[in-house]
Structure formats: structure tokens, C-alpha cells
Amino acid sequence: SDTSSAAAAKRAACARGGANASEPRPGQCACTTRNVFFARGVEGLIVAFEHAYASSEQSGSLSGVCTHPACGETPADAKVKCAKHPLDTKLTYPNGTTVSFPAGQAIEMPLREYVALAGARLDDLNYDAAVDLRDRRADAAPAAPRYPHYRTTG
């Protein structure tokens, strides 16, 4: 552990900022803080992803990427790679409604739509999460333990 006055000053500055000072390796210091933030309106957050497929030789060695449009659907001079076997995507909600994404674009929707696809709501209780810490004490355990919402646990 570095006992120099410069290292002591750094540790003191770290502590004044509400952080923890540590020495992960000899001669190296770290100043760490941890915070939990709950974003408001997270259900409107746009989540996008790309996906692909590849098959074995037995099924024709086919492959595709959702961001590659079908060949023939893009101008010949376009610098976009096209797909002989395009990857169109269709998502089906628990109620049977569908949404389609044609080849050439990533899947992009607000978080509320992904949650709906899972048949859940962010305000539902998450019974797979641990019981509220306040309910773990033997002297404070209520008749019905409290569980957190998906909104705060994921």
C-alpha cells in the first residue's frame, strides 16, 4: 500500500467525493462509486438488434443477415450487400397479432413492445426476484411478502 502524502491526498479526495479508495494492484489506486438509477419512461427506450442465420451443407449452406435486403430490391450501383436468401422476420404476440420486419433492416422497437411479446408488463410483480429486504427480518415479515416490479428488476 502506497503511504506517500500524494497517495493519502488522493484517498482523502476520493472519500470526500463519497467514493471508496482501493489498491487493486501495488502502485495503482482506484476510486470507485456505485449508484443505482431508475430511468423514467424506460418503456419508450428503443432497443434494436440484428440477427443472422447459417445452415449446414446438408440443407444447402444457406445464410442471411437481417440487414441485407433481397438481391434485386436495391439499385445495382448501391453499396449495400444483398442476400440471395433474405432474412425477413415476423414476431407474434401472445394475442396472435404479428409485426413484420422485411430483410434490409434491423429489428427496432420500444422496450414496451418486447415486454408485451413476452406476455408481461413492466408493472407486474417479479416473483422470481428476491423478496423485499424489509420483509426478510423475522420480526418484520408481513403475512404477504412484497416483491419488486419488473420495472426495477429486469
Side-chain angles (χ1 to χ4, degrees):
S1 178
D2 188 346
T3 59
S4 69
S5 59
K10 288 180 183 177
R11 283 192 294 275
C14 185
R16 278 193 307 276
N20 297 320
S22 64
E23 189 173 338
R25 292 185 185 88
Q28 182 183 40
C29 64
C31 185
T32 309
T33 59
R34 292 180 186 221
N35 292 304
V36 176
F37 296 94
F38 295 105
R40 292 182 70 183
V42 69
E43 51 275 293
L45 175 74
I46 300 296
V47 179
F49 67 92
E50 298 175 5
H51 60 288
Y53 73 93
S55 69
S56 67
E57 288 181 26
Q58 292 174 329
S59 58
S61 299
L62 306 175
S63 65
V65 178
C66 71
T67 55
H68 296 172
C71 293
E73 293 184 10
T74 57
D77 62 343
K79 297 187 187 223
V80 176
K81 188 172 182 180
C82 70
K84 291 180 187 174
H85 307 284
L87 179 54
D88 295 320
T89 304
K90 180 178 172 183
L91 304 175
T92 304
Y93 288 82
N95 67 5
T97 61
T98 62
V99 61
S100 296
F101 296 87
Q105 66 185 54
I107 308 305
E108 183 177 310
M109 300 186 307
L111 180 62
R112 79 173 62 81
E113 295 300 319
Y114 291 100
V115 174
L117 277 166
R121 295 177 321 125
L122 289 175
D123 292 322
D124 288 345
L125 294 178
N126 183 354
Y127 294 106
D128 292 325
V131 172
D132 189 309
L133 282 174
R134 296 170 293 185
D135 296 341
R136 290 192 197 169
R137 294 190 352 241
D139 64 333
R146 292 170 283 196
Y147 288 89
H149 297 269
Y150 281 109
R151 175 179 303 283
T152 59
T153 59

